[in-house]
Amino acid sequence: MAAVLKLLVLNGPNLQLLGRRSPEIYGHATLGEVEENLARLARELGVEVECRQSNHEGDLVDWVGSAAGRFDGIVLNAAAYTHTSIALRDAVAGAGVPTVEVHISNVAAREEFRQRSLTAAVCLGQITGFGVAGYGMALRALVERLRAGAVESAEGRDKR
Ligand code: DQA
C-alpha cells in the first residue's frame, strides 16, 4: 500500500494576524481556525498535514528546502515575500516538491506591487481570491495531482 501523503502548509509574514488584520480583505477567520479546518479536510482526504507560520523569510526558505523526502507537497502562502523573495523562489524550484501558491485576496485586483509573484512560475499553480477557502482548494488540488501520478510523491522521488 502506498504511504499516506504528507502535505506541508506554510504561511508567511503577518498571517498570524488573520481575523484581526484588514478583515475586509482577509476575512474574519483566524489562522488557528484555518489550520483546524485543514486538519479536518486532511482526515477526510486520508492525508497528513502539518501547518507552520513564520514572519521570517529564512524560516520559510529552510522549511521549503528541507521538505524534499519528508513532504509530498506544499501549500504556500508566502504573503509579502511572494512579491520580493528570490531566495524563496529558488528554494521552491530547488526542493522539487510540488507546491501550490495560495493568496486569500485576489492579488491581481490589488496594488501593482502585489500583481507580480516571484514564486508562481515555480509552483504547480496559484489559487487566489477565494478567501481562506483557497487553502482547502489547494490541498485538494495537490492530493488529486499526487494521487493521479501527475506529480511525483516523496515516495516516488525516494525510489529514484
Ligand atoms: C496575501 C497577499 C499578499 O500581497 C500580502 O502581502 C499578504 C497576504 C494573501 O493571502 O492575499 O500578506 O498573500
Side-chain angles (χ1 to χ4, degrees), residues 10-86:
L10 296 182
N11 276 294
N14 303 310
L15 291 169
Q16 83 282 8
L17 298 174
L18 270 185
R20 278 181 291 147
R21 174 193 181 204
S22 311
E24 68 290 356
I25 297 175
Y26 299 113
H28 293 277
T30 64
L31 184 59
E33 288 165 347
V34 169
E35 292 181 349
E36 271 170 36
N37 285 339
L38 285 172
R40 201 171 310 124
L41 177 61
R43 280 195 294 277
E44 219 177 88
L45 296 173
V47 301
E48 280 176 23
V49 76
E50 187 172 319
C51 297
R52 301 178 193 165
Q53 186 275 333
S54 178
N55 293 325
H56 305 280
E57 185 177 6
D59 285 342
L60 298 166
V61 169
D62 285 347
W63 290 338
V64 169
S66 60
R70 300 189 198 173
F71 292 95
D72 299 292
I74 301 173
V75 172
L76 176 66
N77 185 349
Y81 291 135
T82 307
H83 317 298
T84 61
S85 180
I86 297 171

Side-chain angles (χ1 to χ4, degrees), residues 13 15 21 26 77-80 82-83 102-105 107 110 114:
L15 291 169
R21 174 193 181 204
Y26 299 113
N77 185 349
T82 307
H83 317 298
V102 171
H103 298 289
I104 298 163
S105 63
V107 282
R110 298 185 63 194
R114 294 187 205 278

Side-chain angles (χ1 to χ4, degrees), residues 148-159:
V151 286
E152 214 172 355
S153 65
E155 202 187 6
R157 283 192 298 275
D158 286 348
K159 281 189 193 134

